[in-house]
Amino acid sequence: MFYVMKGCFSFQKSLIVFLIVVVLTGVAATYLPTFALSAAVDQITKQVEFGVFLRTVLLFYGAILVIKVIQSWCESNVWWREIDARVQFMMLRIHKVLYMDYEYLESAKVMEACQKAMRATSGNSNGVEGMMHSTQRVLEVIVSGITAVAIVFYLSPWMVLLLFVLGVLNYFNMDYTKKRDKKIWDELAPYWRKTWYMQQTMSNFVYGKDIRLFSMRDWLLGKFANLHYFIHRRMIDSKNNWIGCSMVNQVLFLIEEAAIYVYLIYRVLKTGMSIADFTLSLGAVRAFFGVMQQVFNTLTDMKAQSREINDFRSFLEYPERGGASLSDKKVSKNNAGKRLDSRKTEKEKPFSLLGQEQYEFQFENVSFRYPESDRYALKNLNLTFRTGERLAVVGLNGAGKSTFIKLLCGLYIPTEGRILLNGIDIRQYDKREYYKLFSPVFQNIELFAFPMDENVSMN
């Protein structure tokens, strides 16, 4: 919660003011109708003059109207600010994908971590924005809870204990359900990626001729159907999980309602409690139980959202070029959606290539191993070539040809050894200048959905 709200208030500084007003008006709007109804019933039973009764009603409901207007106005200023803050967090994730070490983008584990991080910013109730809403509810229930506890405790300490026990049972039920549900959604992460890939493949005209010539339609549709079948089964498991949770909650609610009415009717019959006090007590007890449910439900929400935010933060911790990562201290609007230049953390200023016309590349005992792989794609490569020379790299599939080129271009960092340009490690050069030395055409040609001149010039 602290991590998210710190980022939110950095992105939207005025959000905290509107949140405080929403919380206070929300509490007032919860209790004022109960007090208004109690006062109205009290005056009716005392048979006061109609003018006095009317003034009392108008006073209460005039206050409720003003509070509701203020609350609505503040809420209208809260929701879009929270969405904007979520989008800024989303930009941090996108930034990480764009600037993390390139070899991580080819790791299935990292891409699954990216998929989980995406879920933390994918909706209004997930992860980041969900935690904002939960924080607001926590503040509301703290203030509401103090008022409700005072009223109900005065009425009966045993009622407080009963409602607390029911709230705890509701909490464990919800927490258990959300843990199971997150496990289901985590299991689906690679299947969402596969589904997206199948959709892109089957709708891309580039693959159209191959699909038709080799009669691949039924085969592709079969794989697509199998993916959806698995997703559908897990979605059913998720729904059944929540149906069971809802049934338990309804049983707890019936116990709470029965306990309230039995106790209050007993007080009316045996102790002479007035109808006005009965109305006030009923409203206070219900408000207290509602607060208890909100407290425990919000706790389970926050635990579920925290798990998603942990996925988000874990993904941000993957190193970027030069070992930099988006740490907790860097969650601010100054870096959201912008490149965190790792060179700024280095003590030495990067070398410049400006003015140099002759180049000598030297591979010194260069070895490279993909993340989480035990096999070296290249091992102890030693090679030197200079400006004006032509070099053909030939080998079988998997021999390391593409890996060699990506190391040369600076997309990969050697696992062992180093690559020198004019005697200086290429990691010490200004990256923008270094990339301008190359015009690679890789096996997979990537054309962006822009006009041809923009694809060529990238202006």
Side-chain angles (χ1 to χ4, degrees):
M1 180 176 68
F2 180 78
Y3 171 81
V4 169
M5 298 314 294
K6 178 183 176 182
C8 288
F9 296 148
S10 175
F11 301 141
Q12 286 289 341
K13 291 182 172 58
S14 60
L15 180 60
I16 187 171
V17 177
F18 289 109
L19 274 178
I20 291 173
V21 177
V22 166
V23 168
L24 295 177
T25 53
V27 173
T30 299
Y31 285 102
L32 265 180
T34 299
F35 283 101
L37 182 59
S38 176
V41 171
D42 182 58
Q43 291 194 350
I44 290 173
T45 56
K46 291 180 180 179
Q47 297 182 342
V48 300
E49 294 181 3
F50 178 74
V52 175
F53 172 77
L54 184 61
R55 283 196 298 272
T56 302
V57 172
L58 291 177
L59 177 64
F60 269 107
Y61 285 95
I64 293 172
L65 177 62
V66 171
I67 288 172
K68 284 288 188 181
V69 169
I70 296 174
Q71 182 184 23
S72 298
W73 180 74
C74 289
E75 285 177 345
S76 69
N77 281 278
V78 166
W79 70 268
W80 67 265
R81 285 180 167 85
E82 291 179 332
I83 293 175
D84 176 74
R86 172 166 63 88
V87 171
Q88 299 297 336
F89 276 98
M90 191 184 302
M91 294 295 286
L92 293 176
R93 177 185 58 77
I94 294 172
H95 163 274
K96 174 59 64 174
V97 174
L98 292 175
Y99 291 104
M100 71 192 308
D101 285 348
Y102 181 76
E103 57 262 33
Y104 286 108
L105 297 179
E106 299 181 333
S107 166
K109 180 180 178 181
V110 175
M111 288 298 96
E112 288 181 18
C114 180
Q115 184 71 38
K116 293 179 182 179
M118 190 183 303
R119 178 167 168 75
T121 56
S122 63
N124 303 108
S125 59
N126 297 99
V128 170
E129 191 177 343
M131 183 62 77
M132 302 179 211
H133 300 318
S134 295
T135 302
Q136 179 180 332
R137 290 198 299 272
V138 164
L139 296 175
E140 288 178 354
V141 298
I142 288 174
V143 180
S144 297
I146 294 172
T147 306
V149 167
I151 296 173
V152 178
F153 191 84
Y154 174 77
L155 182 67
S156 171
W158 293 107
M159 185 63 69
V160 174
L161 180 61
L162 173 64
L163 296 180
F164 179 78
V165 170
L166 292 175
V168 170
L169 293 175
N170 180 70
Y171 164 76
F172 283 116
N173 179 44
M174 292 291 291
D175 187 49
Y176 174 73
T177 302
K178 289 183 178 181
K179 282 181 180 178
R180 290 185 60 190
D181 201 55
K182 185 181 186 299
K183 185 177 180 181
I184 292 172
W185 283 91
D186 284 350
E187 186 180 348
L188 286 175
Y191 288 87
W192 293 124
R193 289 195 305 111
K194 292 176 182 178
T195 301
W196 179 86
Y197 173 77
M198 294 295 294
Q199 289 174 335
Q200 295 298 309
T201 300
M202 291 190 292
S203 61
N204 192 334
F205 75 92
V206 172
Y207 301 105
K209 55 182 178 298
D210 296 294
I211 293 173
R212 285 163 174 76
L213 284 172
F214 296 104
S215 302
M216 298 172 63
R217 186 195 67 173
D218 293 339
W219 183 80
L220 287 170
L221 288 176
K223 290 188 70 68
F224 196 57
N226 288 336
L227 287 172
H228 273 283
Y229 177 77
F230 180 83
I231 292 173
H232 181 245
R233 295 305 308 170
R234 300 306 285 147
M235 294 289 281
I236 290 176
D237 291 340
S238 175
K239 294 300 180 184
N240 290 337
N241 186 37
W242 282 106
I243 289 173
C245 175
S246 178
M247 292 175 66
V248 174
N249 285 344
Q250 291 302 316
V251 171
L252 295 176
F253 174 75
L254 288 174
I255 294 174
E256 173 264 333
E257 287 288 288
I260 290 174
Y261 278 101
V262 168
Y263 180 75
L264 291 180
I265 291 172
Y266 169 81
R267 290 288 300 272
V268 171
L269 296 177
K270 297 297 183 180
T271 65
M273 175 187 281
S274 68
I275 300 300
D277 288 341
F278 176 90
T279 304
L280 178 62
S281 299
L282 179 62
V285 172
R286 280 186 166 175
F288 175 74
F289 186 70
V291 167
M292 291 296 300
Q293 280 191 315
Q294 284 188 7
V295 167
F296 291 115
N297 287 345
T298 301
L299 284 176
T300 58
D301 286 343
M302 293 176 76
K303 287 183 70 175
Q305 290 150 3
S306 291
R307 297 180 193 113
E308 294 175 346
I309 292 167
N310 283 342
D311 292 336
F312 178 83
R313 296 175 70 177
S314 296
F315 179 69
L316 292 190
E317 288 304 315
Y318 277 100
E320 297 180 11
R321 183 67 65 192
S325 64
L326 290 173
S327 63
D328 293 358
K329 295 181 180 179
K330 295 177 182 177
V331 179
S332 68
K333 198 163 188 174
N334 293 329
N335 59 45
K338 297 180 181 179
R339 181 177 184 270
L340 295 183
D341 196 337
S342 61
R343 295 193 304 271
K344 294 180 182 179
T345 64
E346 298 175 358
K347 295 181 180 179
E348 298 181 1
K349 184 177 180 181
F351 288 92
S352 175
L353 284 164
L354 297 178
Q356 298 188 38
E357 296 181 357
Q358 297 296 316
Y359 304 106
E360 179 184 84
F361 289 92
Q362 185 176 2
F363 282 64
E364 287 189 349
N365 295 317
V366 172
S367 299
F368 181 79
R369 183 175 60 199
Y370 287 92
E372 301 173 14
S373 174
D374 296 329
R375 187 180 67 86
Y376 281 91
L378 288 174
K379 184 67 174 176
N380 295 330
L381 175 63
N382 290 279
L383 179 68
T384 301
F385 54 95
R386 301 171 181 83
T387 302
E389 296 181 353
R390 290 175 173 81
L391 179 67
V393 183
V394 183
L396 298 173
N397 288 343
K401 302 184 298 298
S402 297
T403 303
F404 165 69
I405 297 300
K406 291 174 183 177
L407 284 165
L408 175 64
C409 291
L411 293 175
Y412 290 168
I413 297 175
T415 306
E416 299 169 8
R418 60 179 185 161
I419 304 171
L420 305 178
L421 171 56
N422 294 346
I424 299 173
D425 194 310
I426 63 172
R427 285 173 286 187
Q428 296 181 266
Y429 283 105
D430 183 291
K431 288 299 176 186
R432 294 182 184 275
E433 293 182 16
Y434 185 78
Y435 288 150
K436 289 180 180 179
L437 297 178
F438 304 96
S439 297
V441 179
F442 294 106
Q443 298 174 64
N444 298 324
I445 307 301
E446 302 295 342
L447 290 176
F448 296 94
F450 305 137
M452 184 177 293
D453 61 334
E454 291 184 17
N455 265 282
V456 173
S457 64
M458 293 307 295
N459 290 328

